[in-house]
Amino acid sequence: MSALLEITDLRVSYPTPDGGGTEVVHGVSLAVETGRKVALVGESGSGKSVTARAVLQLDPDAQLEGSIRLAGRELVGASPRTVRGIRGSGAGLVFQDPLTSLNPVKRIGWQIMQPLLIRGVSRRVARQRGIDLLGRLGVADAAARFDDYPHEFSGGMRQRVVIAIAIIAEPELLIADEPTTALDVRVQAQVMELLHEVADERGIGVLLITHDLGVVAGFADEVVVMRHGEIVERGGVDALYAAPQHPYTRGLLAAIPRLDSDPGVRLRSVAEFEAGESGRPTEGAPA
C-alpha cells in the first residue's frame, strides 16, 4: 500500500476582526493509504470538517500551515490553479447535506456532468457516463431521472447523486463529510454500504468525517479521534473499540445507547469520563 494522503502538523487559523487570528486545528497529522478507509471522529466543533476541507482548500479565509500531500503533491502553498486541478480528479468530496449542496435550479444531470465537462470531456460522453454511474449507484431508470431536479429525489437518492458528482472524475481519494446526516437509520445503512462498495470497486482511499461511532464500526479500517482541534487517539477500529485508551474516546463510546443496556441506567457524559469518573463498560463495537 502506498501513502495517498499525508497530513503533517496541519494548523488552520481564521482571521479575527481585530486583525489577528484564531487557530482551530492544532498540529494534526494523519495519513490515508490507497485502498484504506480512515474515519476522523469527534463531536461537533472538534475540527473534523475544517481538517477535511483544508485538503481541498474550500475555505478561502483559512490560513494553513504544515503540509498536505496528495499522491506526492504538496497542496499547502500551492497555486489556486493547482488546487483546482486536484478537485474532482485528485479528491472528491461528499457533502453532509445533499439538499443544500445541490443547486436547486439545475437538473441533477447537469451537476453530475460538470467535473467531466470542465476537463474537456464532450457533453455526449459525459451524459452517458453520468447515466451509467447513476444506474450503478442504485438509481432506478437513471436515464429518465437524469433530467430531474434535486427536489424530485428523496434524501437517500439525493445523497447518491452527490456521491456520483464526487466520483465521476475517478478521484484517487474520496472525502465523505458526515454523509449520513439527516437520513433515517435504514437509508444511513444503504449509503454507507454504497460508499463501501464504491471504495472497494475503485480501490480508492476514503477519509470519513463523522460523529457517529456506530457508522464507523462497520466501515473504517482505522479511527482517528479528534478533540478541540487536536488528535487524542488513533488505532485500528477493532482494537480501539475494544480497549479505548483516552477518556474522551471512552466517553464517546459510552454515550452511545445500546440495545442490551439497562434502560434505568443513565448514560454517562463525555465530561464525566474526562473528569475521571467511571462509566459503564464499552467493550466491543456499539450495537
Side-chain angles (χ1 to χ4, degrees):
M1 294 180 293
S2 58
L4 175 59
L5 174 68
E6 294 178 282
I7 299 176
T8 306
D9 196 25
L10 176 66
R11 299 178 181 273
V12 183
S13 303
Y14 289 91
T16 55
D18 62 4
T22 298
E23 188 174 278
V24 296
V25 172
H26 317 296
V28 165
S29 297
L30 63 86
V32 180
E33 297 177 327
T34 300
R36 299 278 287 178
K37 307 178 189 72
V38 177
L40 184 58
V41 305
E43 63 190 319
S44 296
S46 61
K48 310 182 305 297
S49 292
V50 172
T51 300
R53 292 173 66 87
V55 175
L56 297 176
Q57 299 185 25
L58 296 178
D59 298 326
D61 292 334
Q63 301 168 357
L64 309 182
E65 298 179 25
S67 174
I68 302 174
R69 298 183 69 85
L70 179 62
R73 294 166 290 187
E74 179 60 61
L75 301 182
V76 175
S79 67
R81 181 176 181 179
T82 297
V83 175
R84 285 196 301 269
I86 65 100
R87 293 173 182 163
S89 59
L93 176 61
V94 178
F95 291 96
Q96 62 178 285
D97 186 351
L99 186 59
T100 58
S101 61
L102 292 171
N103 189 326
V105 300
K106 293 291 187 179
R107 301 180 190 274
I108 62 102
W110 181 90
Q111 299 182 63
I112 291 172
M113 291 191 297
Q114 288 308 299
L116 297 181
L117 295 178
I118 64 177
R119 286 167 175 77
V121 177
S122 71
R123 182 170 294 275
R124 180 183 62 82
V125 172
R127 180 181 179 85
Q128 190 57 55
R129 287 187 187 177
I131 291 172
D132 292 344
L133 180 56
L134 268 189
R136 291 202 300 273
L137 292 178
V139 176
D141 201 6
R145 305 224 60 189
F146 201 69
D147 293 318
D148 287 347
Y149 289 94
H151 72 270
E152 298 179 275
F153 288 77
S154 67
M157 288 296 106
R158 281 194 294 265
Q159 195 60 287
R160 292 168 192 264
V161 171
V162 172
I163 293 172
I165 295 171
I167 68 174
I168 194 169
E170 300 184 345
E172 302 164 276
L173 173 72
L174 181 63
I175 301 173
D177 186 2
E178 300 278 10
T180 59
T181 296
L183 300 177
D184 63 46
V185 175
R186 179 181 61 85
V187 178
Q188 284 184 15
Q190 292 175 351
V191 169
M192 293 310 300
E193 180 62 27
L194 180 59
L195 288 174
H196 183 79
E197 292 175 358
V198 166
D200 287 351
E201 175 186 334
R202 296 174 178 246
I204 60 179
V206 179
L207 178 61
L208 172 67
I209 311 300
T210 185
H211 64 273
D212 190 338
L213 290 167
V215 166
V216 171
F219 180 81
D221 300 305
E222 180 183 355
V223 183
V224 179
V225 183
M226 201 166 180
R227 170 72 158 160
H228 296 323
E230 299 178 336
I231 292 175
V232 297
E233 188 168 1
R234 71 181 78 212
V237 63
D238 292 336
L240 186 140
Y241 275 62
Q245 300 301 305
H246 196 279
Y248 180 65
T249 309
R250 294 198 296 270
L252 288 177
L253 289 169
I256 301 174
R258 300 176 59 113
L259 294 177
D260 59 356
S261 297
D262 183 347
V265 176
R266 182 179 67 86
L267 295 175
R268 298 281 183 150
S269 70
V270 170
E272 288 174 326
F273 275 84
E274 291 189 313
E277 295 187 28
S278 61
R280 62 185 179 85
T282 60
E283 288 82 2

